[in-house]
Amino acid sequence: LYPVLEKAGDKTLLISETALGTLADICEACAYESLQSLINDNSDYLVNGISLSLRQLAHQSHASQVLDTMLRHSDASLLPLVEDVIQDVLSALDQSYSNQAATFLGVLHSVMTALVQWFGSSCSEEQRQSRPVSQGQRVLTRHEVQRFFLDYVRQKQIAEGNLPDTEEEEEAAEVPVLAKPEPDNSAAEGEAALPSHAELAKAVLERCIHLLSDRSLRVRLKVLDVLELCVTVLHPHGNHLLPMAHRVWPALVTRLISDDPLAVLRAFKVLCTLADKCGDFLRQRFSKDVLPKLTSSLLSQAPASARAGPMYTHTLAFKLQLAVLQGLGSLCEKLDMGK
């Protein structure tokens, strides 16, 4: 099963399609209902093979293809089974990021794509459903109002670059707990404990911060793709997402204002996702660090694009200019730039 899954993750379409047909035949011959059940029932053998292959430099790319196929053809029930091997991938990336970063980033992109498919939409729906219940069907207590303003002050400090100490955060969190022990204790525990998929996204995001300044354009592009997926998964957990956004911001700004046009285009897409998920947290940073550069870039490109012929629409400069013009309005709206 391991080598067939490896071929199913091959980049050559003919090989991968033939391997998927072989997997379907294996399911039928071994009386499995689906490819998903075949993978899940044999995941312990597969994970062991992946872990062994990750320790050998020559076999790391093959192991990544197997894991990618497993993630693409299974569901969230697979995550606890492959969580250890994903941690092995992160450890291997830390040890050999200089020459194997592209391979491991491909694996992390597959992991984060799977997490968005498995958990992204459900988390967003839960948030949307919880808002009218909390605001319209019950009266907020004074302790909840107090906690809201404490959270607001803390997030505003983070947005301005003043990260509070952990001791201060604990003291702030203890105030409502002492006033109203039972309900607030459970709420505090719910905030402190991240789900396993969100914890994994946070660990991947930390690697992205360090790799955003890599010399290789290919690596930087992959990092930006993975970063966007991490932000989507961490969206429901604002207390963890906002500090991470604060840390990633300097490297992201560098990609936006002084990089290859292809990287700038991808970084702008990440910026739009961050604005959508973080809201006015980025308002001051965006208006100070990014908006002047974008407007001056548009003004400098305007004369050239006005005189350009039909071939200009096929250039990267046109695509970048179009992306900025199409996204700038909604971006300013999401960040409440009119205030």
Side-chain angles (χ1 to χ4, degrees):
L1 182 59
Y2 186 98
V4 177
L5 284 172
E6 178 189 327
K7 296 304 179 186
D10 197 282
K11 294 181 180 179
T12 305
L13 182 61
L14 181 59
I15 295 176
S16 61
E17 290 296 325
T18 306
L20 288 174
T22 304
L23 289 171
D25 293 338
I26 294 175
C27 290
E28 185 178 353
C30 299
Y32 284 100
E33 295 180 356
S34 63
L35 177 56
Q36 176 182 319
S37 59
L38 172 67
I39 291 173
N40 288 3
D41 288 351
N42 296 277
S43 60
D44 49 350
Y45 302 102
L46 296 169
V47 166
N48 182 60
I50 294 172
S51 298
L52 292 174
S53 297
L54 284 174
R55 298 171 191 171
Q56 305 175 30
L57 188 63
H59 297 284
Q60 287 175 350
S61 60
H62 304 294
S64 67
Q65 290 179 357
V66 177
L67 182 58
D68 177 56
T69 306
M70 291 175 66
L71 292 168
R72 282 191 290 111
H73 295 92
S74 190
D75 61 0
S77 61
L78 182 68
L79 182 59
L81 306 175
V82 299
E83 201 165 0
D84 290 339
V85 79
I86 295 173
Q87 292 297 334
D88 291 341
V89 171
L90 293 174
S91 300
L93 177 61
D94 292 337
Q95 295 170 6
S96 60
Y97 69 91
S98 58
N99 53 359
Q100 293 292 315
T103 299
F104 291 125
L105 282 170
V107 179
L108 296 181
H109 186 271
S110 301
V111 171
M112 297 313 303
T113 301
L115 293 184
V116 169
Q117 291 175 349
W118 297 342
F119 302 101
S121 59
S122 61
C123 290
S124 299
E125 287 174 6
E126 287 175 6
Q127 270 203 330
R128 285 195 297 266
Q129 291 172 2
S130 65
R131 285 171 185 168
V133 173
S134 62
Q135 294 176 0
Q137 296 184 6
R138 67 183 180 88
V139 178
L140 294 175
T141 65
R142 65 184 180 90
H143 302 296
E144 289 171 327
V145 174
Q146 182 183 13
R147 177 173 288 276
F148 168 79
F149 281 106
L150 287 172
D151 289 340
Y152 175 79
V153 171
R154 186 176 70 252
Q155 291 177 8
K156 186 177 180 182
Q157 288 174 344
I158 294 173
E160 294 172 351
N162 301 322
L163 291 175
D165 296 332
T166 53
E167 294 180 0
E168 294 177 359
E169 289 182 350
E170 291 174 0
E171 291 176 1
E174 285 174 1
V175 174
V177 174
L178 294 174
K180 196 175 183 181
E182 295 180 2
D184 287 341
N185 264 336
S186 60
E189 289 174 3
E191 288 179 2
L194 270 177
S196 59
H197 66 276
E199 194 69 50
L200 188 59
K202 185 177 178 182
V204 174
L205 184 54
E206 288 178 349
R207 271 72 176 185
C208 291
I209 295 173
H210 300 295
L211 289 171
L212 264 177
S213 302
D214 193 271
R215 295 179 181 178
S216 170
L217 174 61
R218 181 186 175 198
V219 170
R220 295 199 301 273
L221 292 176
K222 284 192 174 185
V223 170
L224 288 167
D225 286 338
V226 175
L227 173 61
E228 184 179 10
L229 295 170
C230 291
V231 171
T232 303
V233 175
L234 279 175
H235 170 47
H237 311 282
N239 289 339
H240 296 271
L241 175 59
L242 297 183
M244 296 302 291
H246 167 76
R247 290 176 55 191
V248 81
W249 182 255
L252 182 62
V253 170
T254 304
R255 304 282 72 77
L256 279 165
I257 63 178
S258 58
D259 205 335
D260 185 273
L262 196 58
V264 175
L265 183 61
R266 201 75 58 90
F268 184 75
K269 185 180 177 185
V270 175
L271 175 63
C272 292
T273 302
L274 263 178
D276 185 37
K277 306 304 180 185
C278 298
D280 57 3
F281 172 79
L282 297 177
R283 183 194 305 140
Q284 184 177 356
R285 296 164 183 260
F286 173 74
S287 61
K288 178 182 177 182
D289 301 333
V290 179
L291 187 58
K293 299 288 184 180
L294 290 179
T295 52
S296 63
S297 175
L298 289 174
L299 289 172
S300 63
Q301 290 177 357
S305 60
R307 297 190 304 268
M311 292 301 296
Y312 181 69
T313 58
H314 299 283
T315 63
L316 189 56
F318 169 81
K319 293 177 181 178
L320 178 58
Q321 189 178 7
L322 180 63
V324 173
L325 289 171
Q326 288 179 335
L328 196 56
S330 60
L331 186 60
C332 292
E333 186 179 5
K334 289 169 186 174
L335 296 178
D336 289 332
M337 295 297 291
K339 290 185 177 181

